[in-house]
Amino acid sequence: MRKSILQTILVLIIIFCQFSLYAEGGEALEPITITVQKGETLSLISERHLSDPKRWPELLKHNKIPNPDLIKPGLSLVVPVFLRKAVVGVTEFVMGQVEWNGTGGKGPWVPLKLGQELHPNDQIKTSGKGKTDVHINNVGMVRILTNSHFEVKGEDKKGGPVTVALFRGSLDAKVTKSNPPTTEHKFNIVSPSSTAGVRGTEFRVELDEKLSSTISCFEGVVDVAAQGKTVELKQGMATFVEKGKSPVQPYKIPEAPRIREE
């Protein structure tokens, strides 16, 4: 009797895990196989790939590796679904010099690959003529333009808006419109000088050398907030936010370009 109850509980746990092991946006995760590169440590691998880096003993156990000292270049490791980070998005286009960091900027930077999965706190840098298009689950496309530094933060809470950060440079975004329309933000872009909340639109965020921001709305609506003040941008309007100050009154832009996918 006790054995039957335990088996039933185990089955329920497995079913629960199957429902919960999904990336943000409802896309199922799958196990991945990684190859240890020169200079990579178990700590770095855990930071890049595990939802909780402290669970590295489970990674070793799953791969039947008895000793952390056996983690050496060329070794293949399978990262099971129950240990993986959630997937927030994926790269759809990469041109020029673009680098990725999967440890929140703490570890080494490596070239960004087409089809690279992006997780919470992953960062991207573009140099020279480099740029990349990133598909964010349940949001749309974000184009990180040249000489920019960007971070995917993910959802603050389940079902809440996805947040990204722009530390330097500029980005374009083409956010899928909500159906039916809603006044709730589905996407937030934070920068050193402002926060842009988006309802479904095409827009641009640009930072100057002093990290002041210009936000331009090409279609839809963007709410720009800083220093306790919020202004609403509609199609063909922009605002400027000097770092440490409130947004200026929205003004018309000469032309509202359309963001085309590469």
Side-chain angles (χ1 to χ4, degrees), residues 108-129:
W109 291 81
V110 298
L112 180 70
K113 298 178 181 179
L114 183 65
Q116 170 74 53
E117 291 181 345
L118 299 174
H119 314 98
N121 305 124
D122 281 10
Q123 295 188 7
I124 293 173
K125 284 183 180 179
T126 61
S127 303
K129 296 182 179 180

Side-chain angles (χ1 to χ4, degrees), residues 77-171:
L77 291 173
V78 175
V79 183
V81 171
F82 67 88
L83 292 178
R84 288 196 59 193
K85 287 183 177 181
V87 177
V88 181
V90 64
T91 57
E92 295 184 323
F93 171 80
V94 180
M95 185 183 78
Q97 187 173 348
V98 185
E99 295 179 299
W100 166 80
N101 185 298
T103 56
K106 294 182 290 186
W109 291 81
V110 298
L112 180 70
K113 298 178 181 179
L114 183 65
Q116 170 74 53
E117 291 181 345
L118 299 174
H119 314 98
N121 305 124
D122 281 10
Q123 295 188 7
I124 293 173
K125 284 183 180 179
T126 61
S127 303
K129 296 182 179 180
K131 63 180 179 178
T132 182
D133 286 357
V134 175
H135 172 77
I136 304 293
N137 297 341
N138 286 338
V139 171
M141 185 271 288
V142 176
R143 176 168 298 153
I144 306 163
L145 301 171
T146 58
N147 299 310
S148 299
H149 185 185
F150 170 91
E151 179 177 281
V152 178
K153 291 188 173 296
E155 296 179 351
D156 292 331
K157 60 180 181 179
K158 190 65 177 177
V162 175
T163 299
V164 302
L166 183 66
F167 304 126
R168 183 185 74 247
S170 56
L171 64 79

Side-chain angles (χ1 to χ4, degrees), residues 2 32 39 72 127 137 158 191 238 245-246:
R2 179 177 294 179
I32 58 171
K72 296 181 179 180
S127 303
N137 297 341
K158 190 65 177 177
S191 76
K245 296 186 177 182
S246 302

